[in-house]
Amino acid sequence: MNEHQYSNISQIDTAHHIHPFNNAGELKEKGVRVMTSAKGVYVTDSNGKHYLDGFAGLWCVNVGYGRERITRAVTQQMNELPYYNSFFGTTNTPAALLAQKVTEHAGPHMNHVFFTNSGSEATDTWFRLARTYWAALGKPQKTAVIARRNGYHGSTVAGASLGGMKPMHAQGGLPIEGIHHINQPYWYGEGGDMTPDEFGLLRARELEAKIDELGEDNVAAFVAEPIQGAGGVIIPPSTYWPEIARICKARNILLISDEVICGFGRLGTWFGYQHFGVEPDMAPIAKGLSSGYLPIGGVLISDRVADVLTKHVGEFNHGYTYSGHPVAAAAALENIKIIEEENLVARVHDDIGPAFHAGWKTLEDHPLVGEAESVGLIAGLQLAADKATRRRFENGDKLGSMVRDAALADGLILRATGDRMLASPPLIISHAEVAHLVSITRKALDTVLTAVN
Ligand code: PXG
């Protein structure tokens, strides 16, 4: 296509295409950027401008763009069996092999998976399954689910309800009944004079208090992201997760680790719960499962839950037309083979993750920056007016957008969530590309510093 046709695409798009999480009226006025191709860690728009994708699409393109192996696997599967359902006692080869492959990496207690098409559907799946689990054990009143403020678990009714995003609750009459939120372990913003470790324990013990308030016999599960992604890459203090796991066990409620962002190597482990040393009962997955090449998600299901499902539930009345879709499963299977063969998880843990951390950390000396943290290849940078007191800018949200826009103009896609800058590049990013990412980020911070002074 030539440029003229692409400018036409932008007009056609805004005339007919309603975008997710966008102001439709505003978009119509501003127009949209048309992405046309991608390779490695770079994406290209219709003006021919290249961008280092510091965000891996939307936290998902773990193996990078342009992997022809995946294209070939998908093409072959399309030709052999483009679709068949997984209902009525039927399966297909890629779905079966993918279930085996995913659970191979999930830990000895986690041997089953239910396939969906997205993280949101995965959320709805474990939500129904958690309640079904307790009902099957003769505790039908154990239905409440505890989640966190500023968490994100998807956009379906259950997903948006479980998420702790106020603007999402404001639309569509959410949250639905039986969902309760506790505070997040965001030490920088909310920890006051406490040490991070003290604060981590305090926030974890809000779970205990909430369970006691509701009554242990009424609570089915607690859900959290190992590191909150959309909420701003909130890395919990090291005391947080062990205490959460202890409480879930002591109070006999299911622990759900939302692995949609943290899964498939992002933290330098196959799953985020392994980084934090906990064993959840279920774990929704998506994104890095197929590196976004085709839509697929799922729920990892522990033996504890699977045993009850198998022996006591009878039929689980839940499923999607495309659960275990052969072509999406073939894409995911090839994607995981790439992660294995290129040792990407170990690479993030031992090599590029530490290099990224060292580079990102250098930004802490910048006058606009309060803290720059990362685990593996997920990073958050806190804009702050005063490093010593952790005082944040009153117009921090605006500054965040300005940094994002300055980076974009310079060919780097970064994310701004309020006054936090986020990065989550493909796991194949090279050392030189990391250095480039850090230097453009610094330049963007400088540009904004100059603009506001
Ligand atoms: N759980 C988590 C932790 C997620 O990050 C979902 C569930 C839902 O997945 P699907 O595939 O249904 O989108 C997500 C998705 C953002 C942003 O602005 C993040 C997501 C989706 C859209 C925007 O950072 N994460």
Side-chain angles (χ1 to χ4, degrees):
M1 281 207 210
N2 62 35
E3 250 174 60
H4 173 70
Q5 283 168 308
Y6 280 128
S7 73
N8 211 10
I9 290 289
S10 174
Q11 284 161 6
I12 292 169
D13 186 276
T14 49
H16 301 288
H17 179 184
I18 302 293
H19 290 242
F21 283 95
N22 261 283
N23 178 328
E26 205 177 274
L27 212 58
K28 227 179 187 122
E29 261 172 44
K30 283 193 186 161
V32 289
R33 184 176 301 105
V34 184
M35 289 304 188
T36 54
S37 63
K39 185 85 192 157
V41 298
Y42 282 92
V43 291
T44 305
D45 73 12
S46 56
N47 296 317
K49 186 173 165 88
H50 302 296
Y51 304 86
L52 200 174
D53 185 2
F55 208 58
L58 193 55
W59 321 88
C60 57
V61 188
N62 289 13
V63 299
Y65 298 94
R67 294 298 196 133
E68 287 172 10
R69 278 179 64 171
I70 300 181
T71 316
R72 280 195 296 274
V74 162
T75 309
Q76 192 183 340
Q77 187 57 45
M78 278 261 184
N79 288 330
E80 265 171 34
L81 180 71
Y83 175 73
Y84 201 77
N85 70 63
S86 303
F87 293 54
F88 320 119
T90 312
T91 193
N92 61 77
T93 305
L97 294 180
L98 181 63
Q100 179 190 44
K101 179 64 74 197
V102 168
T103 54
E104 227 174 83
H105 295 295
H109 76 301
M110 197 70 104
N111 288 299
H112 304 83
V113 59
F114 185 103
F115 288 119
T116 67
N117 308 289
S118 68
S120 298
E121 288 178 356
T123 296
D124 281 48
T125 300
W126 70 250
F127 184 79
R128 294 194 65 205
L129 194 47
R131 289 176 165 183
T132 304
Y133 169 88
W134 290 115
L137 290 178
K139 298 191 169 181
Q141 76 287 3
K142 231 167 136 60
T143 55
V145 177
I146 302 171
R148 303 188 303 191
R149 300 198 174 94
N150 201 34
Y152 188 82
H153 302 291
S155 277
T156 48
V157 169
S161 294
L162 288 161
M165 308 286 185
K166 283 213 180 89
M168 292 181 79
H169 292 168
Q171 294 170 333
L174 305 180
I176 54 172
E177 247 179 69
I179 290 175
H180 306 265
H181 293 90
I182 59 172
N183 285 310
Q184 56 179 338
Y186 175 28
W187 175 77
Y188 198 96
E190 301 171 7
D193 292 335
M194 273 178 252
T195 65
D197 280 356
E198 286 166 353
F199 180 70
L201 280 182
L202 181 88
R203 285 287 154 102
R205 288 178 186 157
E206 281 193 22
L207 174 61
E208 201 165 35
K210 181 57 83 179
I211 296 169
D212 291 346
E213 176 195 323
L214 298 168
E216 184 179 315
D217 285 341
N218 299 317
V219 182
F222 170 69
V223 63
E225 301 152 80
I227 290 173
Q228 283 149 270
V233 184
I234 310 294
I235 301 171
S238 61
T239 47
Y240 183 77
W241 269 107
E243 184 67 359
I244 288 286
R246 182 194 69 74
I247 293 165
C248 290
K249 202 163 191 186
R251 294 293 197 277
N252 198 23
I253 68 163
L254 297 175
L255 173 58
I256 316 296
S257 178
D258 187 333
E259 297 287 333
V260 169
I261 285 177
C262 295
F264 302 96
R266 173 91 17 228
L267 308 192
T269 47
W270 275 94
F271 296 100
Y273 57 79
Q274 293 159 338
H275 173 81
F276 289 108
V278 299
E279 285 192 353
D281 298 295
M282 289 190 272
I285 52 176
K287 296 192 188 274
L289 169 60
S290 65
S291 285
Y293 277 64
L294 281 175
I296 183 167
V299 181
L300 295 174
I301 300 172
S302 65
D303 294 346
R304 172 190 182 180
V305 175
D307 280 352
V308 170
L309 186 63
T310 315
K311 292 181 191 141
H312 303 294
V313 170
E315 181 162 337
F316 180 40
N317 300 307
H318 181 86
Y320 306 103
T321 301
Y322 303 126
S323 285
H325 192 288
V327 181
L333 197 56
E334 198 63 21
N335 169 63
I336 294 177
K337 284 185 190 161
I338 292 174
I339 298 177
E340 286 175 346
E341 286 168 25
E342 297 182 8
N343 286 317
L344 293 182
V345 178
R347 177 174 194 267
V348 172
H349 191 270
D350 301 329
D351 174 23
I352 200 70
F356 184 94
H357 187 77
W360 191 249
K361 215 55 190 156
T362 63
L363 298 169
E364 276 187 350
D365 68 8
H366 195 278
L368 291 178
V369 177
E371 182 183 72
E373 279 301 332
S374 72
V375 174
L377 283 180
I378 189 167
L381 180 151
Q382 179 73 54
L383 300 175
D386 185 328
K387 288 180 202 286
T389 61
R390 311 206 306 276
R391 184 167 56 83
R392 291 155 67 191
F393 290 105
E394 268 163 35
N395 61 344
D397 289 13
K398 184 163 167 247
L399 295 181
S401 307
M402 287 170 73
V403 175
R404 178 200 59 207
D405 292 346
L408 194 70
D410 228 2
L412 170 67
I413 298 173
L414 275 186
R415 175 74 191 285
T417 291
D419 59 357
R420 292 180 65 80
M421 308 310 302
L422 321 181
S424 166
L427 310 187
I428 52 136
I429 191 169
S430 71
H431 286 258
E433 287 158 351
V434 165
H436 193 50
L437 184 155
V438 172
S439 86
I440 302 181
T441 306
R442 179 175 289 278
K443 200 168 150 214
L445 290 161
D446 285 344
T447 304
V448 173
L449 184 63
T450 311
V452 296
N453 274 335

